Amino acid sequence: MGFREHAAWVRRIVGIVLAVFLIAGVAAAVALGRDSKADGGSGTAAKTVRGVIGSEKAEFFADPDTVKALAAKGFTVRTETSGSWAMDRLPLKGYDFAFPGSKAPADELSRSAEARGGPLRPFYSPLVVVAHRNAAEVLAANGLARLRAEGGDGAGGGSKWATQGTLLMGPYLAAAEDDRTWQQLKGASGHAELSGTVFITSTDPVTSNSGALYLAAASYVADGGRVATDARAVERTAPLMRKLVQVQGAQQTSSDAPFRDFISGVGNPLVLVYESQVASLLMSSQRQEVGDLVVLYPDTTVSSDHTLVPLTDHGRELGELLSTDPVLRKLAVRHGFRPQGAAAEFTAATAGHTAYIDQRLTGVRQAPVPTAELLRSMARQARG
């Protein structure tokens, strides 16, 4: 072989070797990039956890900032939504956690599923009634509500109209008992949109957390401030609970749709929602107009303790992270939730929205909640 042929052969061999090294280097870089994405660049092995959640938490988990914060801790969270009181009927094998909207269905899930330790309650939200201004003013004129003027202390303060107030549960339930209509209320005649029976739109109490808690608070007030402890107590208030539910006709399984309808200006003028839905809307960077919104805090209500039931060790780690991680707590507040044991975080975040949000829940009494078994019975009887 001549010198030129030999040199060409050597160059060919060297080229092949370099190409092999180049391909290997690219493959290694791709693999490292995948690993980095999988663990959020933190060097932590990624854990993909699956959970079933109440729909009111769907936006929190879908928030890109929440996804990023969880990834930084090594978590990828996949969620599906369900009514809180329907979760126990789901095949939960393969899930890492269940996250209903209150303690009672969580306790039931803990008993029926193989929970890894006790439930965790990272945050909560009281139930409120959103009302259009005309409806709120008519309720107040007839002793069913008290209004606080926007930016004022209840004395008027020169504001255009009230944006926050208190729903008086006793008088409201008495009106429901008597089947009172808007037309029978003083001041309603000039408002064509106020017609028919006065009622609050709530969700299906058989499957939905907010609907069931509405009955818990209403039955407590209707029975003279006593929580239902047996079947006879449920029977005592059953006729009124049926009126509260059956006057509504078909009910949704989530409070999300009725709240969106309300903000869009359609549907019933009184709708039961979570305070978190209102607070989230007010704090949103893409806030839409709230129109003539008035937020009524029932004087007797039930707070929705969002309670995570860990079904695996990874599920428990996630619950503890949601409870303690400052970034995730801040994000929960941004979505309107009140972190457990950290009132200052919620107070600071909603400081600019106190015309609508009662940060200290002034004058709001918490009603005890019956056992899950009795509340289910109450809901079934209310549905008829």
Side-chain angles (χ1 to χ4, degrees), residues 113-154:
E114 295 182 4
R116 297 297 178 96
L120 302 106
R121 295 190 288 279
F123 41 73
Y124 69 100
S125 182
L127 292 172
V128 299
V129 174
V130 290
H132 291 298
R133 174 163 48 100
N134 291 336
E137 290 177 345
V138 169
L139 292 180
N142 289 268
L144 306 183
R146 284 194 304 266
L147 300 183
R148 180 173 75 86
E150 181 182 6
D153 58 3

Side-chain angles (χ1 to χ4, degrees), residues 20-326:
V20 169
F21 277 114
L22 179 62
I23 292 170
V26 170
V30 170
L32 286 170
R34 285 175 179 166
D35 290 344
S36 177
K37 289 179 182 178
D39 65 12
S42 65
T44 305
K47 309 178 187 77
T48 298
V49 298
R50 291 182 63 213
V52 56
I53 63 173
S55 60
E56 68 286 337
K57 294 181 283 290
E59 289 188 2
F60 166 70
F61 279 105
D63 186 331
D65 289 336
T66 303
V67 173
K68 182 179 177 181
L70 287 167
K73 296 295 182 178
F75 280 90
T76 298
V77 180
R78 311 291 185 202
T79 61
E80 300 168 29
T81 60
S82 166
S84 293
W85 289 90
M87 288 183 186
D88 67 319
R89 297 194 290 273
L90 297 175
L92 292 176
K93 186 175 181 180
Y95 287 88
D96 296 282
F97 68 96
F99 204 171
S102 66
K103 182 177 181 294
D107 288 344
E108 195 169 60
L109 281 164
S110 294
R111 288 191 293 270
S112 61
E114 295 182 4
R116 297 297 178 96
L120 302 106
R121 295 190 288 279
F123 41 73
Y124 69 100
S125 182
L127 292 172
V128 299
V129 174
V130 290
H132 291 298
R133 174 163 48 100
N134 291 336
E137 290 177 345
V138 169
L139 292 180
N142 289 268
L144 306 183
R146 284 194 304 266
L147 300 183
R148 180 173 75 86
E150 181 182 6
D153 58 3
S159 298
K160 292 182 293 182
W161 59 75
T163 53
Q164 186 193 127
T166 303
L167 178 70
L168 306 177
M169 285 292 285
Y172 168 72
L173 293 176
E177 183 83 65
D178 294 339
D179 300 313
R180 294 182 75 181
T181 64
W182 286 106
Q183 292 90 333
Q184 292 173 321
L185 298 183
K186 179 176 63 177
S189 59
H191 306 293
E193 72 278 11
L194 301 178
S195 62
T197 305
V198 179
F199 68 90
I200 295 170
T201 292
S202 63
T203 53
D204 180 355
V206 173
T207 59
S208 171
N209 182 62
S210 59
L213 295 184
Y214 175 45
L215 294 187
S219 65
Y220 177 79
V221 174
D223 206 21
R226 291 179 292 181
V227 62
T229 56
D230 54 33
R232 287 180 298 175
V234 172
E235 290 291 340
R236 280 198 299 271
T237 62
L240 177 56
M241 299 304 103
R242 277 193 287 272
K243 283 191 175 186
L244 296 178
V245 169
Q246 294 182 9
V247 69
Q248 301 181 45
Q251 292 178 292
Q252 300 275 357
T253 58
S254 164
S255 60
D256 184 58
F259 182 59
R260 292 184 186 277
D261 287 346
F262 175 89
I263 294 299
S264 300
V266 298
N268 193 43
L270 303 173
V271 180
L272 183 82
V273 300
Y274 296 105
E275 179 197 57
S276 59
Q277 293 171 282
V278 179
S280 176
L281 178 67
L282 294 170
M283 291 187 288
S284 171
S285 59
Q286 299 176 337
R287 176 183 167 185
Q288 65 186 95
E289 289 299 317
V290 297
D292 62 351
L293 169 70
V294 179
V295 182
L296 299 176
Y297 285 80
D299 59 2
T300 302
T301 190
V302 175
S303 283
S304 178
D305 289 319
H306 296 282
T307 306
L308 186 146
V309 179
L311 305 175
T312 66
D313 290 338
H314 285 345
R316 181 156 201 88
E317 287 178 48
L318 175 65
E320 291 171 348
L321 195 61
L322 293 173
S323 301
T324 60
D325 183 75

Side-chain angles (χ1 to χ4, degrees), residues 324-343:
T324 60
D325 183 75
V327 175
L328 288 166
R329 287 167 68 90
K330 184 176 180 180
L331 288 166
V333 169
R334 191 169 82 183
H335 284 272
F337 299 109
R338 295 176 181 247
Q340 293 283 1

